[in-house]
Amino acid sequence: LSRIKMRDVIKELQSRGKTIFFSSHELSEVEMICDEVAIIREGKLLKSDKLKALVAEKGAHITLEQYFLDIIDLLHK
């Protein structure tokens, strides 16, 4: 219930043109709330772009979580 309320508050602020920095490990929440995404690992910026542009790099219907796992996997190869 608290996630839904928080999401509603953030969406309301967005509708008023406010910029919100939202940090989360819950990537499904990030997908519902954010227009732009930055992926940071160990203090280093790995990727930053509009959400739609990031996931479009990997395919038509990929989730942010799948994108994130692909990026992390590339670092370990």
Side-chain angles (χ1 to χ4, degrees), residues 44-56:
K44 294 181 182 171
L45 179 63
L46 302 180
K47 285 285 193 171
S48 177
D49 206 341
K50 295 203 179 289
L51 176 61
K52 290 180 181 181
L54 283 180
V55 296

Side-chain angles (χ1 to χ4, degrees), residues 3 22-31:
R3 281 186 186 187
F22 179 71
S23 175
S24 178
H25 297 284
E26 295 290 334
L27 299 180
S28 59
E29 283 291 318
V30 172
E31 281 186 296

Side-chain angles (χ1 to χ4, degrees), residues 7-56:
R7 199 177 312 129
D8 290 344
V9 168
I10 291 172
K11 292 284 189 185
E12 172 60 28
L13 291 169
Q14 282 178 320
S15 73
R16 290 195 246 158
K18 303 294 181 185
T19 298
I20 298 108
F21 289 93
F22 179 71
S23 175
S24 178
H25 297 284
E26 295 290 334
L27 299 180
S28 59
E29 283 291 318
V30 172
E31 281 186 296
M32 286 190 268
I33 295 171
C34 300
D35 300 321
E36 296 187 35
V37 175
I39 297 175
I40 300 169
R41 183 167 189 232
E42 296 176 358
K44 294 181 182 171
L45 179 63
L46 302 180
K47 285 285 193 171
S48 177
D49 206 341
K50 295 203 179 289
L51 176 61
K52 290 180 181 181
L54 283 180
V55 296

